[in-house]
Amino acid sequence: MRPKPFIPEFLDQPCYVKDKNSGLVWHRSELRTLYVDTDRSQVVYHANYLKYFEFGRAELMRKANYPYKKIEESGYIYPIIKTELNYYSPLFYDDLMYIYTRPAKLEMVKLQFDYLITRADNGETCCTGFTRHCAVNGKSIPVEIDQKTINLWQEFPR
């Protein structure tokens, strides 16, 4: 079943948009597919969407002035413990896409980012999904989420 159309409405900062259908605010980044991302059938190989999710997540964190490098330097690591991807329409070589990312669930030691990828030329939804992460320290022991990450969730535009 196809999701409802994603209709972005730009907010004060151009990297943030609000979906007119759901009312949710998303961080938007753009990326062009590389030839190496495609498979023999000339579409983007399904696992590469996880790379696109990571790109969107890294750009959101960078925009919030808390890039992943700073997180690791402060002693926290957030490995992925679960993913979900839903495919609707393929991307091809050299397609420009918009990657929409938003902080979603926040628990004591787990957090989740939601994603939506659309074609830049017509807004068609290509893929949706999420990544769930667990906070761990340098010894891979689960720990509570760090305060700066909690602040990111609290300060994300609504």
Side-chain angles (χ1 to χ4, degrees):
M1 189 162 115
R2 289 198 166 279
K4 288 183 179 179
F6 184 80
I7 305 170
E9 174 181 44
F10 287 95
L11 301 177
D12 294 338
Q13 297 181 45
C15 65
Y16 293 108
V17 299
K18 180 183 263 188
D19 176 22
K20 288 183 180 181
N21 277 327
S22 69
L24 296 175
V25 175
W26 299 78
H27 175 270
R28 184 178 96 160
S29 51
E30 67 178 51
L31 186 66
R32 192 170 291 279
T33 59
L34 300 173
Y35 186 79
V36 70
D37 289 347
T38 62
D39 63 16
R40 190 169 180 202
S41 63
Q42 300 179 6
V43 301
V44 169
Y45 179 67
H46 69 277
N48 285 322
Y49 288 88
L50 287 171
K51 286 189 338 183
Y52 303 155
F53 285 4
E54 180 179 355
F55 180 83
R57 185 171 64 248
E59 289 297 301
L60 182 152
M61 299 298 285
R62 193 173 291 113
K63 177 68 178 171
N65 201 26
Y66 196 41
Y68 202 74
K69 187 174 182 177
K70 282 187 182 178
I71 294 171
E72 288 186 341
E73 288 170 353
S74 68
Y76 292 87
I77 303 169
Y78 285 91
I80 292 176
I81 58 171
K82 185 174 183 176
T83 63
E84 179 177 298
L85 293 94
N86 304 290
Y87 304 99
Y88 300 101
S89 179
L91 286 166
F92 300 90
Y93 166 65
D94 207 38
D95 281 349
L96 183 63
M97 73 182 92
Y98 293 133
I99 303 166
Y100 297 95
T101 310
R102 66 182 316 276
K105 295 178 184 176
L106 183 66
E107 300 171 12
M108 187 179 294
V109 298
K110 294 185 236 175
L111 56 85
Q112 178 175 310
F113 288 93
D114 289 345
Y115 309 90
L116 182 128
I117 297 176
T118 66
R119 299 168 96 36
D121 61 355
N122 64 11
E124 182 178 21
T125 298
C126 299
C127 181
T128 62
F130 68 80
T131 56
R132 192 163 299 142
H133 306 253
C134 179
V136 298
N137 63 18
K139 296 179 182 179
S140 296
I141 297 170
V143 294
E144 288 186 25
I145 294 170
D146 68 287
Q147 189 59 50
K148 286 186 179 180
T149 299
I150 292 170
N151 292 345
L152 174 88
W153 255 251
Q154 293 171 343
E155 295 169 5
F156 191 78
R158 301 218 185 277

